[in-house]
Amino acid sequence: MKQQCIISTGETYMKRKLTAAGAAGFVSVMALAGCGGPPLIYNGQELSEVEKSMEEIDAAWKQSVANGVEATVSDDSRCYLQVNDETVAETAVCGPIHYLGNDETTWDGAQWEAIAAGKDKFSLKSETSFVPNQQLQANTDLYRPDDKEPPAEMALKEPDAPVAEKDKAFWLPVGQAPVQADSSNAKPGILKSPIGTVSVVSTEMSNRIGGASNRQQAPEGTQFLTINFSALTGFEPSSDVSAMAVVVGDKTYPVETVDGQSVVVPVSGDLEKALLRLTYDGLDQDLSLSDLSRVDESVAAGLYSDLETEPKESESRSGDRRINEAEADNTFSGSLNYKVQAERLAYDQERKWPAAGMSWLKVNLSTNTIGPEWDGKGYDRGVYGLTKTIETPTLQIAGKSIAGELGDVDNGFFGGGQEVWYQVPADSPQATFSADVKLVGVLKSTRSSAKNAPPSVEHVYQIRDVNLEFAPKAGN
């Protein structure tokens, strides 16, 4: 066997750039020859039988690759020592190799076992197992005693994988989403519905997806679009009013299940225009998957309002009105107590969605009346059968007057409440409510003692300037 020695530094030369993941820079190949120079050293001892050791590790690695491992190697893929000057590192590398389930070409690593080979000398015996996905050790050169070099093309093709079903979305197991750059400070893309929130933290395009056990490649003419969610509570696939899909141009790819945090959709077309569409009760909301922004912020605007649902307390929201404070003889008397409650709603199951940019404002006007009665002389009185109606319920908001729509009547403990519905700008923090309460009645002669009581009564109580002011939500 030739004596190993290191040629002059000028004969250590840089080869082609390595594209394997984790191995930056260039592959440096060290040339050695039997010129009487310094020997190779391992753990402070001179090495002997290096050529034999390399033959053994080559054979063991080729057998390992042949034992059912799904990987691509080149005819020029082989094992190398990693050497810094004349010192051999503890790990040899074999490759390049591209495993099924990896996105990049990598190297295998093998540990050495030092065997005594005479006085003050070692020979190297490799362990039988190889560790995939290794980086080349910094500040070392690749060396073989036969001077063979790595292949000219370092990036190898991944083995064939099953082709995914066309147009069919599927979910990745936890931990199999494509590797992303640090996005901890990135603002997520958010779509809201009446039942929750869909939050997208990142997207990724790739031709292959999954690990070695479930690797798939995209159907011809498509790429995998992976959408990574941090929240997914605003979509119920089993509901007939809820749906989610990816839209690219005129092509829609339904997402029909939820089974994880990362969904993969094989898509084609202009991927810069890809949208995530969340549908609830006939209304579509779109999120641009290129920059994670909402396409139209006026759609379902009430869901994104930073205002509280309930208005702040106000003295004007309850009070009383009287017909005649003096309650003199031969005149009408009576009173009305009122209470106004309100609630902002982005969506109502009965009324559905308000117009773009708007929210529902539901006002509940509760009233309790005494009379009106006719107060005759002494204890004489006139009693009337009365009908109560709410008229001209009006909202003043941002300088505009909005007429309300009467809704249901809630016969609650306070005396009953009449719903009045409005559509208001979703970001309006204040409004003023007014309404007339009209009472009309006919004299009940069998219950009346006053002989001169009018045969009918009509009176309007005016409720004015009820303040409805909404505070910002906590944390905004």
Side-chain angles (χ1 to χ4, degrees):
M1 182 179 70
K2 292 193 301 181
Q3 179 186 9
Q4 295 116 20
C5 63
I6 297 178
I7 300 179
S8 63
T9 305
E11 294 190 54
T12 298
Y13 53 97
M14 303 304 292
K15 302 303 287 184
R16 62 204 60 85
K17 186 175 183 180
L18 179 64
T19 58
F26 290 80
V27 176
S28 179
V29 180
M30 177 172 284
L32 295 99
C35 61
L40 293 176
I41 302 298
Y42 181 78
N43 282 349
Q45 300 291 324
E46 180 181 341
L47 289 180
S48 65
E49 300 180 330
V50 176
E51 289 171 318
K52 180 181 178 182
S53 298
M54 292 304 299
E55 290 173 0
E56 291 175 352
I57 191 174
D58 275 343
W61 183 66
K62 289 179 180 178
Q63 185 61 49
S64 174
V65 173
N67 286 342
V69 176
E70 297 216 39
T72 301
V73 294
S74 165
D75 291 340
D76 294 326
S77 293
R78 53 181 64 88
C79 299
Y80 296 86
L81 298 178
Q82 298 186 92
V83 178
N84 183 348
D85 291 333
E86 68 270 19
T87 300
V88 176
E90 293 183 357
T91 304
V93 290
C94 301
I97 183 170
H98 197 144
Y99 284 97
L100 180 67
N102 278 7
D103 292 327
E104 301 289 345
T105 302
T106 59
W107 294 81
D108 287 347
Q111 293 290 117
W112 288 113
E113 178 185 358
I115 305 293
K119 185 179 180 181
D120 299 329
K121 288 189 177 183
F122 284 153
S123 64
L124 295 177
K125 179 179 177 61
S126 70
E127 297 181 1
T128 56
S129 61
F130 295 86
V131 181
N133 303 321
Q134 298 300 295
Q135 297 182 4
L136 299 180
Q137 189 167 320
N139 302 318
T140 63
D141 303 313
L142 298 183
Y143 166 70
R144 287 181 60 89
D146 58 12
D147 294 335
K148 289 182 179 179
E149 302 174 4
E153 180 53 58
M154 299 296 290
L156 303 179
K157 183 181 178 182
E158 183 184 352
D160 287 337
V163 178
E165 185 177 349
K166 191 173 183 181
D167 299 340
K168 184 72 172 179
F170 58 93
W171 293 81
L172 290 179
V174 175
Q176 280 198 357
V179 176
Q180 296 287 309
D182 181 17
S183 59
S184 59
N185 296 322
K187 185 177 181 180
I190 292 176
L191 293 177
K192 296 182 180 181
S193 86
I195 57 174
T197 298
V198 171
S199 178
V200 178
V201 290
S202 62
T203 62
E204 180 77 9
M205 299 302 306
S206 62
N207 293 314
R208 294 181 176 231
I209 202 75
S213 63
N214 63 343
R215 193 67 160 176
Q216 296 186 73
Q217 60 190 51
E220 184 176 357
T222 71
Q223 285 185 282
F224 285 135
L225 169 60
T226 302
I227 305 171
N228 300 311
F229 299 93
S230 61
L232 191 52
T233 60
F235 165 50
E236 292 181 351
S238 60
S239 170
D240 59 359
V241 298
S242 177
M244 189 164 66
V246 170
V247 179
V248 183
D250 59 357
K251 181 69 174 178
T252 299
Y253 304 89
V255 179
E256 297 176 338
T257 63
V258 173
D259 188 20
Q261 293 293 108
S262 298
V263 69
V264 183
V265 187
V267 296
S268 59
D270 187 353
L271 302 181
E272 287 295 314
K273 296 181 180 179
L275 306 173
L276 180 67
R277 176 164 293 168
L278 182 65
T279 301
Y280 192 86
D281 203 3
L283 184 71
D284 294 336
Q285 296 183 64
D286 291 335
L287 184 75
S288 169
L289 293 174
S290 62
D291 61 8
L292 302 186
S293 65
R294 280 194 291 141
V295 173
D296 185 349
E297 294 191 356
S298 68
V299 177
L303 293 172
Y304 304 89
S305 171
D306 65 352
L307 297 175
E308 290 286 355
T309 301
E310 304 283 344
K312 295 192 292 186
E313 291 297 328
S314 172
E315 291 183 359
S316 67
R317 288 175 59 195
S318 62
D320 61 83
R321 296 286 185 270
R322 294 182 179 274
I323 294 177
N324 186 347
E325 293 288 348
E327 297 184 355
D329 292 341
N330 297 322
T331 187
F332 281 104
S333 67
S335 65
L336 173 140
N337 295 321
Y338 70 88
K339 181 178 181 180
V340 177
Q341 297 173 297
E343 182 182 11
R344 296 167 55 91
L345 300 168
Y347 165 86
D348 178 67
Q349 192 168 2
E350 180 181 346
R351 285 171 171 74
K352 308 304 180 183
W353 294 98
M358 308 294 276
S359 287
W360 292 113
L361 179 62
K362 180 177 74 171
V363 175
N364 187 288
L365 175 59
S366 300
T367 58
N368 186 33
T369 59
I370 298 176
E373 290 185 349
W374 176 259
D375 296 316
K377 292 184 178 181
Y379 295 100
D380 291 343
R381 64 192 185 108
V383 179
Y384 296 82
L386 297 167
T387 299
K388 179 172 61 177
T389 58
I390 307 297
E391 296 187 341
T392 62
T394 305
L395 206 66
Q396 293 289 330
I397 186 167
K400 296 182 179 179
S401 180
I402 304 175
E405 177 185 331
L406 296 180
D408 295 336
V409 175
D410 177 17
N411 294 315
F413 177 78
F414 187 73
Q418 172 68 62
E419 290 182 357
V420 188
W421 289 82
Y422 301 89
Q423 290 192 51
V424 300
D427 58 355
S428 295
Q430 192 274 336
T432 302
F433 172 77
S434 298
D436 291 338
V437 180
K438 184 176 181 180
L439 292 172
V440 176
V442 176
L443 182 68
K444 293 183 176 181
S445 58
T446 58
R447 296 182 57 188
S448 301
S449 57
K451 303 301 183 183
N452 60 339
S456 63
V457 63
E458 180 176 315
H459 184 75
V460 175
Y461 291 104
Q462 294 184 333
I463 299 173
R464 294 291 182 266
D465 302 326
V466 176
N467 183 43
L468 301 175
E469 185 176 353
F470 296 86
K473 291 179 181 177
N476 287 351

